Amino acid sequence: MTIDFEKTGGLVPAIIQDATTKNVLMLGYMNKEAYEKTVETKTVTFFSRSRNCLWTKGETSGNRLNVVSMAADCDNDTLLVKVNPEGPTCHKGTDTCWGEANTPGPLAFLTELQDFIEKRHMEMPEGSYTTSLFKDGVNRMVIEAVNGTPERMIYEGADMLYHLTVLLTHKGMRIEDLVRELQQRHTPGWKKH
């Protein structure tokens, strides 16, 4: 990756994003030395403009930012650093420097669920309900009758969603493929296939 440190006076902004929740946690600055240390240690290191020195996030608090990936923007003068944070990111004790909670959106669990189902599909552990669904084939992956109570509807609906996710995994597809289809349908001018 080539970063143009000279273009911006030796410092580039580094946007810090949680790799799991996709939430932006903070903005810091890196010079070449901070960038190289971050790459080497896989822990985010910034250049402190107020102290005029390097500082590794969490060196005193223990709230480190463990690097998952780094990418430069299209002009090579801004970094996006995806991390797994250990504890709050802000020095004020909040998850983000904007005081927001770093929690995933409710739909993020669907991706986590399919990751779990894919692992089950690869390992096929005995005694697993998911393994039994894969072994019994796609014909078993249908919803049972709904008895009309709201509790039963939620129970059966969850089964239906789970079975759909197992079916998608069986067919080599992801729940995100369905989300993309729904997003396309929501755009003006969408035409049914």
Side-chain angles (χ1 to χ4, degrees), residues 47-62:
F47 181 82
S48 171
R49 295 170 296 159
S50 59
R51 295 185 313 225
N52 199 31
C53 64
L54 296 184
W55 65 281
T56 299
K57 182 73 177 98
E59 62 193 359
T60 55
S61 68

Side-chain angles (χ1 to χ4, degrees), residues 1-14 28-39 45-47 54 70 72-73 75-79:
M1 179 167 45
T2 304
I3 302 160
D4 192 347
F5 289 100
E6 298 312 311
K7 182 179 186 181
T8 53
L11 294 177
V12 296
Y29 292 87
M30 290 185 186
N31 62 6
K32 187 174 184 185
E33 188 180 358
Y35 168 77
E36 289 171 349
K37 186 172 181 184
T38 298
V39 170
T45 296
F46 296 108
F47 181 82
L54 296 184
M70 296 175 73
D73 74 343
D75 294 324
N76 295 322
D77 61 5
T78 302
L79 288 169

Side-chain angles (χ1 to χ4, degrees), residues 55-121:
W55 65 281
T56 299
K57 182 73 177 98
E59 62 193 359
T60 55
S61 68
N63 298 328
R64 299 194 183 283
L65 299 171
N66 301 308
V67 176
V68 173
S69 67
M70 296 175 73
D73 74 343
C74 58
D75 294 324
N76 295 322
D77 61 5
T78 302
L79 288 169
L80 177 61
V81 185
K82 294 184 182 181
V83 301
N84 287 325
E86 292 180 19
T89 298
C90 185
H91 70 283
K92 292 185 174 182
T94 55
D95 288 348
T96 76
C97 288
W98 292 270
E100 299 171 333
N102 183 24
T103 55
L107 296 180
F109 176 71
L110 294 177
T111 297
E112 189 180 317
L113 176 64
Q114 187 154 17
D115 291 343
F116 170 81
I117 290 171
E118 284 180 347
K119 187 172 187 245
R120 282 284 201 250
H121 191 227

Side-chain angles (χ1 to χ4, degrees), residues 107-193:
L107 296 180
F109 176 71
L110 294 177
T111 297
E112 189 180 317
L113 176 64
Q114 187 154 17
D115 291 343
F116 170 81
I117 290 171
E118 284 180 347
K119 187 172 187 245
R120 282 284 201 250
H121 191 227
M122 288 185 331
E123 296 171 356
M124 297 292 274
E126 286 301 317
S128 160
Y129 174 69
T130 308
T131 298
S132 73
L133 290 174
F134 282 118
K135 285 183 175 179
D136 291 349
V138 295
N139 290 336
R140 177 163 177 218
M141 298 176 208
V142 293
I143 192 169
E144 296 177 6
V146 176
N147 76 1
T149 67
E151 294 82 13
R152 193 68 185 167
M153 180 61 199
I154 295 297
Y155 182 86
E156 295 296 346
D159 257 7
M160 182 174 70
L161 186 56
Y162 191 86
H163 289 187
L164 174 62
T165 308
V166 171
L167 180 60
L168 286 167
T169 302
H170 178 75
K171 295 288 190 179
M173 295 177 232
R174 297 274 313 170
I175 196 84
E176 293 88 345
D177 297 324
L178 297 182
V179 172
R180 277 190 292 279
E181 175 67 20
L182 289 171
Q183 287 172 323
Q184 288 175 358
R185 291 181 185 191
H186 195 66
T187 57
W190 175 80
K191 297 205 184 332
K192 187 176 179 181
H193 300 222

Side-chain angles (χ1 to χ4, degrees), residues 13-27:
I15 301 163
I16 308 301
Q17 180 185 44
D18 187 301
T20 302
T21 66
K22 309 301 184 220
N23 293 327
V24 174
L25 304 176
M26 70 173 292
L27 172 70

